[in-house]
């Protein structure tokens, strides 16, 4: 007919009077874009003016129009459209990345039942750093593919690595840990923290890192995990200004005691619970010469407990008592003398006995 014979002119008239808006339904759009008699220049302008989005791109057999639909944001988002576009373009093109990033909903790749596509798309997406962070995470997590034993992709930005870690896409294994240590030191501790139980489980003497241990000791995790890691080292570990639990401090003082901590624990003695106080008294007995050098740091509370402790020799108590006399009051001295059963010293300190 006349219209078909003059189809280009017909569309130009429509474009001139449409007030820059065409509101066709999807079936009409499909018919226009698939009609070989309509010039491509007309089709591209038609897409630009169109207000309706195409729901299913597979209906558009003229695949030259796909890029225009993507460019003009005239393709509704769906995982199946993503499947068709990626299968056609063979890569995550700039237009396809834009199509994904513009979608406000949640992408669920499990809606596509094609394992080959899922694997190929996953491999492309994990290396596509222009994807928005939320879309990157949604695509990879919903693909249900994991790096269980090894991981060897370099130069992934930290923000994307954090997504791979938090979504548990990279599992904790000896090989994965070694690779991340060597290539992604900025996210290493996040990787360990997200997989700390597995980290402890795979630990060996060869794999152990003292630097990592000192970081982990400050984390809010079960002390059993920390104690398991401590079995791999004999290094001395300080407790100065550390937010450690009573159980962990007690263990460190017994097994990994750092002699440089002595002045600190004497000064802080009053703040410790009874169990740790007993350990400090035993350490003080072992390091008695050092304690005499730090006599100014000793609190009267500590001294009372030291003199009352039956595990400490009388001779040590006598020597410390002599050191303390110039630094404490007469009443404090009398109390200390009585605490290690030296009534004679207490009496000698009475004003009328001196």
């Amino acid at each position: 007919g006349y219209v078909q014979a003059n189809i280009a002119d017909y569309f130009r008239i429509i474009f001139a009077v449409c007030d820059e808006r065409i509101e066709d339904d999807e079936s009409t759009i499909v018919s226009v874009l698939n009609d070989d008699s309509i010039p491509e220049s007309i089709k591209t302008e038609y897409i630009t003016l169109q207000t309706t989005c195409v729901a299913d791109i597979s209906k558009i057999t003229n695949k030259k129009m796909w890029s225009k639909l993507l460019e003009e944001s005239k393709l509704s988002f769906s995982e199946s459209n993503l499947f068709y576009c990626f299968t056609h373009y063979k890569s995550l093109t700039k237009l396809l990345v834009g199509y994904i990033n513009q979608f406000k909903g949640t992408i669920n790749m499990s809606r596509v039942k094609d394992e080959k596509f899922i694997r190929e798309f996953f491999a492309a997406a994990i290396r596509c750093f222009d994807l928005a962070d939320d879309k990157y995470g949604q695509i990879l997590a919903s693909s249900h593919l994991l790096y269980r034993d090894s991981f060897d992709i370099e130069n992934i930005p930290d923000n994307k690595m954090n997504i791979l870690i938090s979504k548990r896409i990279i599992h904790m294994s000896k090989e994965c840990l070694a690779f991340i240590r060597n290539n992604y030191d900025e996210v290493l501790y996040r990787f360990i923290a997200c997989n700390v139980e597995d980290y402890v489980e795979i630990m060996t003497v060869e794999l152990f890192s003292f630097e990592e241990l000192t970081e982990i000791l400050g984390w809010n995790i079960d002390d059993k995990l920390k104690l398991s890691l401590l079995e791999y080292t004999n290094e001395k570990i300080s407790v100065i200004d550390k937010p450690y639990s009573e159980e962990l401090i007690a263990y460190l003082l017994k097994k990994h005691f750092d002699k440089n901590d002595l002045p600190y624990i004497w000064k802080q003695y009053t703040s410790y619970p009874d169990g740790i106080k007993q350990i400090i008294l035993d350490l003080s007995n072992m390091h008695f010469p050092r304690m005499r050098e730090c006599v100014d740091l000793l609190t009267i509370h500590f001294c009372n407990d030291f003199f009352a402790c039956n595990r400490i020799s009388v001779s040590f108590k006598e020597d410390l008592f002599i050191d303390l006399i110039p630094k404490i009051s007469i009443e404090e001295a009398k109390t200390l003398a009585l605490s290690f059963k030296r009534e004679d010293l207490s009496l000698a300190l009475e004003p009328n006995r001196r």
Side-chain angles (χ1 to χ4, degrees):
Y2 175 82
V3 171
Q4 193 65 32
N6 299 276
I7 194 70
D9 291 337
Y10 170 76
F11 271 99
R12 290 191 186 100
I13 292 169
I14 292 175
F15 296 159
V17 300
C18 72
D19 199 23
E20 298 187 350
R21 286 174 62 89
I22 297 176
E23 300 179 7
D24 287 345
D25 59 25
E26 185 179 25
S27 61
T28 303
I29 298 170
V30 170
S31 296
V32 169
L33 297 185
N34 288 340
D35 190 334
D36 292 337
S37 68
I38 300 174
E40 286 189 10
S41 60
I42 295 295
K43 293 178 181 178
T44 56
E45 189 169 355
Y46 175 76
I47 291 171
T48 301
L49 297 173
Q50 191 58 244
T51 60
T52 303
C53 288
V54 173
D56 182 358
I57 201 168
S58 68
K59 293 179 179 178
I60 310 299
T61 56
N62 181 358
K63 293 182 179 180
K64 291 179 181 179
M65 292 296 104
W66 287 17
S67 60
K68 188 63 180 178
L69 288 168
L70 290 168
E71 183 183 327
E72 297 291 341
S73 301
K74 298 297 167 61
L75 177 66
S76 297
F77 186 88
S78 70
E79 289 79 6
S80 61
N81 283 339
L82 202 54
F83 164 75
Y84 291 121
C85 289
F86 183 80
T87 302
H88 173 62
Y89 293 119
K90 307 297 185 186
S91 67
L92 271 168
T93 64
K94 186 176 180 179
L95 283 175
L96 205 47
V97 170
Y99 173 66
I100 293 168
N101 288 344
Q102 287 170 13
F103 180 50
K104 303 301 183 186
T106 301
I107 299 174
N108 183 357
M109 299 306 297
S110 64
R111 294 187 178 118
V112 180
K113 308 302 180 185
D114 186 312
E115 288 188 19
K116 181 174 182 290
F117 160 73
I118 293 292
R119 290 187 176 280
E120 291 177 353
F121 192 73
F122 180 93
I126 200 170
R127 294 171 172 84
C128 184
F129 310 134
D130 290 330
L131 285 171
D133 285 355
D134 60 334
K135 300 307 167 199
Y136 189 82
Q138 290 165 16
I139 289 168
L140 298 178
S142 65
S143 297
H144 302 298
L145 296 175
L146 309 170
Y147 291 91
R148 193 174 299 278
D149 300 315
S150 62
F151 179 77
D152 59 2
I153 303 175
E154 297 179 358
N155 302 317
I156 297 177
D158 290 345
N159 61 314
K160 294 297 192 280
M161 276 299 293
N162 282 328
I163 294 167
L164 296 177
I165 291 167
S166 64
K167 299 290 186 183
R168 304 295 178 89
I169 290 163
I170 306 172
H171 277 212
M172 177 63 72
S173 69
K174 293 178 182 179
E175 292 76 10
C176 290
L177 177 59
F179 185 80
I180 288 179
R181 279 174 173 173
N182 292 330
N183 295 276
Y184 294 102
D185 59 323
E186 292 295 321
V187 300
L188 172 61
Y189 288 125
R190 182 178 179 87
F191 179 58
I192 296 172
C194 284
N195 302 275
V196 68
E197 291 184 2
D198 293 331
Y199 173 86
V200 173
E201 188 174 326
I202 67 167
M203 192 50 59
T204 63
V205 173
E206 296 75 22
L207 199 62
F208 176 75
S209 162
F210 184 74
E211 182 181 350
E212 289 169 10
L213 169 67
T214 56
E215 171 72 19
I216 293 167
L217 289 177
W219 293 356
N220 184 24
I221 59 173
D222 193 326
D223 278 344
K224 290 179 182 178
L225 298 171
K226 300 175 183 180
L227 296 178
S228 294
L229 293 173
L230 281 164
E231 293 177 4
Y232 291 96
T233 182
N234 294 315
E235 292 287 330
K236 306 304 179 187
I237 298 173
S238 173
V239 300
I240 293 177
D241 292 329
K242 297 297 195 302
Y244 299 157
S245 68
E246 179 181 346
E247 180 184 9
L248 184 57
I249 290 174
Y251 185 91
L252 293 174
L253 291 178
K254 287 179 180 178
K255 303 286 189 178
H256 299 274
F257 179 61
D258 183 346
K259 288 188 291 186
N260 293 321
D261 283 4
L262 283 167
Y264 174 84
I265 61 175
W266 284 325
K267 194 173 182 181
Q268 299 296 322
Y269 178 82
T270 308
S271 67
Y272 288 116
D274 290 343
I276 292 176
K277 285 177 180 176
Q278 293 303 311
I279 297 171
I280 293 173
L281 290 173
D282 290 336
L283 290 169
S284 302
N285 191 30
M286 293 168 55
H287 300 279
F288 184 70
R290 177 64 176 141
M291 188 175 74
R292 294 186 72 183
E293 294 172 4
C294 298
V295 68
D296 289 340
L297 299 176
L298 306 181
T299 64
I300 198 66
H301 181 172
F302 168 81
C303 294
N304 279 325
D305 288 354
F306 185 86
F307 285 114
C309 182
N310 58 18
R311 301 189 300 278
I312 296 169
S313 69
V314 173
S315 64
F316 277 7
K317 295 175 183 178
E318 290 173 345
D319 289 344
L320 181 61
F321 185 78
I322 293 168
D323 294 340
L324 288 168
I325 289 295
K327 303 176 185 299
I328 59 177
S329 69
I330 291 174
E331 289 304 313
E332 288 172 336
K334 286 164 62 179
T335 302
L336 291 178
L338 290 172
S339 69
F340 70 106
K341 298 180 172 57
R342 288 296 303 270
E343 290 84 355
D344 57 322
L345 290 176
S346 180
L347 289 171
L349 291 166
E350 292 287 351
N352 60 347
R353 297 296 183 106
R354 285 180 287 143

